[in-house]
Amino acid sequence: MDQENKTQTWVSEFILLGLSNDPKTQVFLFVLVLTMYLVTLVGNTLILLLISLDNRLHNPMYFFLGVLSFVDLCYANSFTPQMLAHMLSARKSIPFYSCVFQLYLSLGLGGSEFFLLGAMAYDRYVAVCHPLHYTVIMHEGLCMGLAASCLVAGFTNSLMETIITFRLPLCHNVINHFACETLAVVRLACVDISFNMVMMAISGFLVIMLPCSLVLFSYGCIVTAILQIHSAQGRSKAFGTCASHLIVVCMCFGATIFTYLVPRSASSMEVEKFVTLFYALVAPMLNPLIYSLRNKEVMAAFQKFLENFRDKE
């Protein structure tokens, strides 16, 4: 019996089914994903470059935006190159320990991003509700501490989830997904997964709902403060500083809550894969576009960057 359990538990590699088995569809998806991946790389790298080069962007708001762009870059790189390679391969395999590391890394970066969005909401709350004390409250030490805490919290949660996921005895090694994702791996278990589902629910509450609650509370205070501003121009300016962040929050939290906290049947696994693709690749691609196109300071920094680049030529 012990030998049987050992055989069930250990696999040397996993086979990923990907998004589609149709060759023509795979070629289309390869071009689409590659395009999104390149836009993600260019957009987030440009945000980091502008923040580091332009003194006007050296403040807490853009510090957190820079950290978010860095996390998005790492997140996209945690699985997209492998997914692109698999779209051109007949056999989509990933070694066991690579799968473990991919799951740990993606969960850690995803969790860190949610906490970062909460920290960014707090930053906007201080900027709108306590503008005269903003620089005193949001000092460099606090910003660094908040960013570090977000990363530590995200990766601590990820370590716990990764351990309990890969301790399960597995019946087979075929994952119906394009990456090593928690729900997809748990479905391979030969035993009851009730404990894992409870732990995932607790993790979802801590990593998703707590930051989401902080965001809702912060924006409740922000809306109240904005409504007390008498001039329409003042209200528009105050809301403009928060609009980009609010769009990103709705996009990221909405997709993740749909994936992890809304009960669904097994028949919806294909929908789950595309929702995962959205928050894992589409959201990191759109983040720099949303923040740059809706932000005059970022656009001014970009124009200055282009002018300096042309002058050097």
Side-chain angles (χ1 to χ4, degrees):
M1 182 71 177
D2 291 340
Q3 182 63 35
E4 181 182 349
N5 286 339
K6 184 177 179 181
T7 303
Q8 287 179 337
T9 303
W10 173 251
V11 294
S12 61
E13 66 176 9
F14 291 98
I15 305 299
L16 301 170
L17 295 184
L19 292 171
S20 173
N21 291 323
D22 180 64
K24 292 183 178 179
T25 304
Q26 288 196 73
V27 171
F28 169 75
L29 289 173
F30 176 84
V31 174
L32 179 63
V33 171
L34 178 61
T35 302
M36 291 192 296
Y37 179 54
L38 292 177
V39 173
T40 300
L41 294 182
V42 172
N44 286 287
T45 302
L46 186 58
I47 288 288
L48 287 170
L49 187 62
L50 293 177
I51 291 173
S52 64
L53 293 178
D54 199 304
N55 292 331
R56 292 172 295 182
L57 304 183
H58 291 177
N59 61 54
M61 175 182 173
Y62 297 107
F63 167 77
F64 288 116
L65 177 57
V67 177
L68 181 66
S69 290
F70 176 76
V71 169
D72 281 342
L73 277 173
C74 295
Y75 201 166
N77 282 308
S78 68
F79 71 89
T80 310
Q82 171 208 274
M83 182 169 61
L84 289 169
H86 282 174
M87 287 177 178
L88 301 178
S89 305
R91 192 171 187 272
K92 303 173 176 61
S93 64
I94 179 172
F96 177 84
Y97 288 111
S98 296
C99 185
V100 173
F101 181 70
Q102 184 183 78
L103 179 64
Y104 170 70
L105 191 60
S106 60
L107 279 177
L109 292 167
S112 299
E113 178 156 341
F114 295 129
F115 287 117
L116 275 171
L117 291 173
M120 293 172 77
Y122 174 72
D123 170 70
R124 293 299 83 206
Y125 158 75
V126 176
V128 174
C129 299
H130 303 283
L132 299 179
H133 301 94
Y134 178 68
T135 55
V136 176
I137 297 174
M138 299 302 297
H139 55 84
E140 183 179 354
L142 178 62
C143 293
M144 295 291 290
L146 284 174
S149 299
C150 291
L151 293 170
V152 170
F155 279 96
T156 300
N157 171 76
S158 175
L159 180 63
M160 179 273 293
E161 277 206 53
T162 303
I163 290 174
I164 66 171
T165 297
F166 285 98
R167 283 175 61 88
L168 291 169
L170 307 178
C171 288
H172 59 89
N173 67 338
V174 180
I175 300 176
N176 187 10
H177 214 281
F178 58 81
C180 291
E181 195 267 344
T182 311
L183 291 174
V185 175
V186 166
R187 291 191 182 102
L188 306 182
C190 300
V191 296
D192 180 52
I193 59 172
S194 298
F195 173 75
N196 289 73
M197 300 308 292
V198 170
M199 294 304 294
M200 286 172 63
I202 295 173
S203 172
F205 175 78
L206 294 175
V207 176
I208 302 172
M209 299 312 296
L210 278 184
C212 187
S213 299
L214 176 60
V215 170
L216 292 175
F217 174 78
S218 298
Y219 275 99
C221 296
I222 288 171
V223 170
T224 302
I226 290 176
L227 292 177
Q228 293 176 354
I229 299 175
H230 297 296
S231 68
Q233 184 178 0
R235 288 195 297 268
S236 177
K237 182 178 179 181
F239 183 75
T241 64
C242 307
S244 298
H245 177 254
L246 192 56
I247 293 172
V248 172
V249 163
C250 294
M251 187 171 58
C252 293
F253 279 104
T256 309
I257 288 172
F258 177 84
T259 303
Y260 288 100
L261 301 183
V262 177
R264 296 181 310 283
S265 63
S267 62
S268 63
M269 290 196 317
E270 294 302 315
V271 175
E272 180 184 299
K273 284 193 282 187
F274 280 97
V275 173
T276 303
L277 184 66
F278 173 83
Y279 74 74
L281 186 58
V282 178
M285 177 190 70
L286 293 178
N287 284 353
L289 296 176
I290 292 170
Y291 278 109
S292 60
L293 294 177
R294 294 188 57 88
N295 192 298
K296 294 179 181 179
E297 290 179 318
V298 174
M299 292 303 295
F302 181 60
Q303 290 175 358
K304 181 181 177 182
F305 173 78
L306 290 178
E307 290 172 1
N308 292 337
F309 182 77
R310 289 167 184 167
D311 291 340
K312 289 180 181 180
E313 291 184 338

